[in-house]
């Protein structure tokens, strides 16, 4: 096995890894290695925003790990997905750009993650952004990440916004303001009709830096240690074993599912579990793989009257015409993010800030076939913003190729069950407002027969959908269950950090791609400050 040495070795070229490579390689005297299990993002299905549904079915582009359900509670039985390609999940996601609420970060700081308040993280968002709405107290321009904003969308989308206003939700030109409550068009990581992934925003401009090495097709088996100091990684590169060494640090950016897996295989995790698998314990860290969280939700579907919406343009001959329009003009339904309209609302009685996110668009998908429905349709995906249910991610063996055991524990917390009922009822109330009455026919899923709290909770538990915003499994803090300290250094060892969604103590109030990039930008500041 050949071993190459670099100052920094970054595991995972997703949203966090790309940002770190961009920042840490700015100094020409610093050598950086970025390794990625997937390949180059060359397919046009990634660049075309509407191609995300196809990429989700491509085993060369996505990881799929089965979730172990609790059969006694009739829980959802499916699999998690993540990007297995340069750019990680930012290359296959819905492209919605949400920062979360300032209080999310202030709560982290108050709970022991000092240096991670909104005052600390908000400058990072501004520095990485190139926002179409221009610079403000909260927005940035001139950064590497372009943020697009629809000014006026499909007539059905306009009617949804008008319905929200009639229901008492303020209309927002920017859904990422200090006050999150509102309805409007989602900001999206799209530029001139093309997806802006972490790879295209942060790696493409710097690929020629002599001090940056990017190796794809690299599956990391474990971190190597000299006593309690991380000194390298053992990996398979296109099927051949290799070792890479780090003079300064190894930075794990593999995500909330893969980072705890790599740590446990390396001997960092719950000691009893590792010993049961005959894995030598480097550091008994019970929090590794615990605190698994996700934005669980339910996708409501409605039939539209007449030939409205996008369904007829996403099937058959209509799809061919949309493809032609996209390649000629970079416009049309294939140039849009997965949801046009977003709403952040207070649904629970007495809620002091938004507790639910609605993602709405004038198309609908049959979940049994994953195909666009034949009749005109609309979907409204409803998600809890700060779920309290927590699961686990644990390796099942010492075999690096074996997927971890994932227990999501969907709706296990009473708060989440109550919120589910309130947010589904709120969404139905919004969609019954008069601006939508001339457009909407019946609710096709879950349907009028699903109305009692018990029925709503049951349908959401069995047939709901993950947000794929997995977080918390290597959480930051200062208590015994914290895996990393506020500098993102792994507690109990040296030379090792984590920078990805897994360090979040709790989920941010919204989609996680933007926050992960800001976390990585902040982490680079901490690393470079020494």
């Amino acid at each position: 096995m050949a071993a190459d040495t670099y100052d920094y070795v970054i595991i995972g070229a997703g949203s966090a890894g790309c940002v770190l490579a961009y920042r840490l390689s700015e100094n020409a005297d610093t050598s950086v290695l970025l390794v990625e299990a997937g390949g180059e993002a060359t397919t046009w299905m990634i660049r075309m925003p509407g191609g995300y549904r196809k990429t989700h079915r491509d085993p060369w582009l996505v990881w799929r790990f089965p979730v172990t359900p609790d059969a006694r509670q009739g829980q959802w039985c499916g699999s998690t997905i993540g990007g297995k390609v340069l750019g990680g999940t930012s290359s296959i996601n819905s492209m919605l750009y949400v920062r979360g609420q300032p209080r999310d970060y202030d709560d982290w700081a108050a709970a022991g993650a000092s240096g991670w308040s909104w005052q600390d993280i908000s400058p990072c968002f501004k520095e990485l952004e190139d926002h179409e709405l221009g610079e403000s107290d909260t927005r940035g321009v001139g950064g590497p990440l372009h943020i697009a904003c629809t000014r006026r969308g499909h007539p059905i989308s306009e009617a949804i916004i008008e319905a929200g206003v009639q229901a008492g939700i303020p209309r927002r030109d920017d859904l990422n303001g200090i006050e999150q409550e509102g309805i409007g068009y989602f900001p999206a990581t799209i530029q001139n009709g093309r997806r802006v992934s972490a790879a295209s925003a942060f790696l493409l401009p710097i690929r020629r830096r002599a001090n940056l090495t990017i190796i794809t097709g690299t599956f990391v088996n474990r971190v190597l240690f000299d006593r309690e100091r991380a000194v390298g990684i053992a990996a398979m590169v296109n099927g051949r074993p290799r070792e890479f060494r780090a003079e300064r640090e190894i930075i794990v950016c593999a995500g909330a599912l893969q980072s705890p897996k790599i740590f446990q295989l390396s001997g960092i995790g719950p000691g009893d579990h590792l010993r049961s698998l005959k894995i030598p314990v480097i550091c008994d860290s019970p929090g590794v793989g615990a605190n698994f969280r996700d934005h669980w939700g339910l996708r409501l579907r409605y039939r539209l009257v007449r030939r409205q919406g996008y369904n007829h343009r996403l099937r058959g001959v209509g799809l061919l015409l949309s493809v032609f329009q996209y390649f000629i003009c970079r416009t049309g339904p294939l140039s849009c993010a997965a949801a046009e309209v977003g709403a952040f609302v207070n649904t629970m009685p007495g809620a002091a800030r938004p507790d639910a996110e609605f993602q709405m668009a004038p198309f609908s998908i049959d979940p049994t076939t994953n195909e666009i429905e034949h009749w005109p349709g609309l979907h409204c995906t409803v998600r809890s913003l700060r779920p309290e249910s927590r699961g686990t991610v644990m390796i099942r063996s010492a075999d690096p190729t074996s997927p971890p055991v994932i227990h999501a524990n969907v709706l296990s917390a009473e708060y989440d069950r109550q919120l589910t009922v309130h947010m589904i009822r709120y969404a139905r109330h919004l969609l019954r407002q008069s601006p939508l009455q001339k457009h909407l026919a019946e609710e096709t899923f879950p349907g009028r027969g699903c109305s009692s709290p018990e029925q709503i909770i049951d349908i959401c538990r069995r047939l709901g959908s993950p947000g794929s915003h997995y977080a918390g499994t290597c959480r930051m803090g200062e208590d015994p269950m914290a895996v990393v300290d506020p500098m993102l250094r792994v507690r109990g060892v040296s030379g090792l950090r984590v920078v990805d969604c897994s360090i979040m103590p709790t989920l941010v109030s919204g989609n996680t791609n933007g926050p992960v990039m800001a976390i990585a930008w902040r982490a680079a500041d901490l690393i470079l400050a020494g």
Side-chain angles (χ1 to χ4, degrees):
M1 287 189 293
D4 298 315
T5 301
Y6 302 83
D7 290 318
Y8 296 102
V9 173
I10 302 171
I11 302 173
S15 297
C18 291
V19 172
L20 281 173
Y22 178 90
R23 293 290 313 282
L24 297 182
S25 65
E26 286 177 323
N27 183 346
D29 295 329
T30 300
S31 59
V32 177
L33 171 65
L34 176 65
V35 299
E36 166 59 40
E40 297 278 348
T42 55
T43 172
W44 61 272
M45 282 293 182
I46 289 177
R47 295 191 293 275
M48 182 179 71
Y52 70 94
R53 290 183 52 249
K54 291 291 186 182
T55 62
H56 287 183
R57 306 180 196 182
D58 190 337
W60 293 102
L61 299 177
V62 298
W63 297 101
R64 282 196 177 274
F65 295 139
V67 171
T68 303
D70 185 338
R72 295 170 300 176
Q73 297 188 28
Q75 285 185 354
W76 175 79
C77 182
S79 59
T80 64
I81 67 169
K84 186 172 63 173
V85 62
L86 278 185
T89 303
S90 76
S91 292
I92 65 164
N93 69 357
S94 61
M95 293 151 287
L96 306 182
Y97 181 77
V98 180
R99 298 191 193 105
Q101 300 168 10
R103 185 172 162 186
D104 298 335
Y105 305 96
D106 290 341
D107 286 348
W108 291 0
S114 57
W116 289 90
S117 69
W118 176 248
Q119 183 177 354
D120 298 309
I121 196 75
S122 59
C124 300
F125 282 107
K126 291 189 67 175
E127 289 177 36
L128 63 85
E129 291 175 355
D130 182 28
H131 208 295
E132 280 188 3
L133 291 182
E135 189 170 12
S136 72
D137 290 342
T138 57
R139 294 189 299 266
V141 295
L145 184 71
H146 188 83
I147 310 298
C149 285
T150 300
R151 304 304 175 103
R152 188 173 183 85
H154 191 280
I156 299 294
S157 298
E158 278 293 319
I160 294 171
I161 295 174
E162 291 170 9
V165 171
Q166 186 163 307
I169 309 171
R171 179 167 186 161
R172 305 283 189 191
D173 292 331
D174 183 2
L175 285 176
N176 281 313
I178 294 297
E179 297 296 329
Q180 191 185 41
E181 183 184 12
I183 189 168
Y185 291 106
F186 266 118
T189 50
I190 296 173
Q191 185 174 21
N192 298 326
R194 293 183 176 90
R195 173 192 293 273
V196 180
S197 70
S200 62
F202 298 97
L203 289 188
L204 186 60
I206 64 169
R207 290 295 292 261
R208 294 188 178 181
R209 287 180 180 172
N211 61 327
L212 174 64
T213 302
I214 301 172
I215 306 180
T216 58
T218 303
F219 185 88
V220 176
N221 292 331
R222 66 187 187 279
V223 177
L224 303 174
F225 286 87
D226 182 357
R227 297 182 182 176
E228 294 182 350
R229 178 170 180 80
V231 295
I233 62 172
M236 298 296 289
V237 181
N238 297 317
R240 300 181 62 183
R242 289 282 300 276
E243 287 187 3
F244 302 98
R245 300 282 171 162
E247 290 286 348
R248 297 186 184 179
E249 291 186 12
I250 295 166
I251 307 170
V252 181
C253 306
L257 302 179
Q258 304 262 44
S259 288
K261 176 188 172 184
I262 291 172
F263 283 154
Q264 291 169 21
L265 290 169
S266 306
I268 303 174
D272 290 342
H273 181 61
L274 300 186
R275 282 186 283 268
S276 72
L277 300 175
K278 305 296 191 293
I279 296 175
V281 178
I282 302 294
C283 176
D284 188 345
S285 182
V288 174
N291 193 46
F292 172 77
R293 300 176 188 247
D294 187 26
H295 289 130
W296 190 258
L298 187 70
R299 174 171 287 191
L300 307 177
R301 301 200 310 279
Y302 290 79
R303 183 176 293 197
L304 294 171
V305 300
R306 299 182 299 278
R307 198 166 182 256
Q308 303 183 86
Y310 288 147
N311 280 10
H312 69 284
R313 301 186 64 188
L314 295 172
R315 292 185 59 90
V317 175
L319 176 58
L320 294 177
L321 293 174
S322 294
V323 171
F324 182 78
Q325 178 184 1
Y326 177 77
F327 281 111
I328 297 300
C329 307
R330 296 289 186 267
T331 59
L334 296 179
S335 68
C336 302
E340 279 194 346
V341 177
F344 295 93
V345 294
N346 305 353
T347 66
M348 288 276 279
R353 55 179 173 144
D355 51 29
E357 175 184 359
F358 300 165
Q359 301 174 7
M360 297 164 279
F363 69 88
S364 57
I365 298 171
D366 182 346
T368 61
T369 63
N370 201 32
E371 300 292 342
I372 297 294
E373 291 185 313
H374 289 274
W375 50 77
L378 172 150
H379 80 260
C380 174
T381 302
V382 183
R383 300 202 184 283
S384 59
L385 284 179
R386 293 175 301 280
E388 293 184 357
S389 299
R390 290 179 284 180
T392 57
V393 177
M394 295 290 170
I395 57 173
R396 67 183 73 229
S397 75
D399 179 4
T401 64
S402 179
V405 178
I406 302 170
H407 289 281
N409 292 336
V410 171
L411 301 185
S412 58
E414 177 62 25
Y415 167 80
D416 294 350
R417 294 191 291 272
Q418 292 184 22
L419 176 60
T420 294
V421 175
H422 285 286
M423 67 186 187
I424 297 299
R425 288 177 171 172
Y426 192 107
R428 287 170 162 172
H429 169 70
L430 187 160
L431 295 168
R432 284 197 302 266
Q433 299 301 306
S434 59
L436 276 171
Q437 289 309 297
K438 63 181 179 181
H439 301 292
L440 286 189
E442 74 272 17
E443 180 185 300
T444 58
F445 181 83
R448 295 175 60 185
C450 179
S451 58
S452 71
E454 295 77 15
Q455 289 171 322
I456 292 172
I457 292 169
D458 176 68
I459 202 78
C460 193
R461 179 181 280 133
R462 292 187 297 107
L463 299 176
S465 61
S468 299
H469 302 153
Y470 315 120
T473 51
C474 296
R475 75 169 175 85
M476 168 174 51
E478 296 178 341
D479 60 280
M481 288 295 289
V483 177
V484 300
D485 66 16
M487 297 290 286
L488 306 188
R489 299 171 298 202
V490 177
R491 293 156 54 96
V493 298
S494 61
L496 185 62
R497 294 193 206 227
V498 188
V499 182
D500 56 32
C501 253
S502 70
I503 64 95
M504 292 182 174
T506 55
L507 268 167
V508 293
S509 301
N511 306 62
T512 51
N513 188 42
V516 168
M517 293 180 180
I519 286 170
W521 198 279
R522 172 74 176 146
D525 289 340
L526 297 175
I527 294 168
L528 294 172

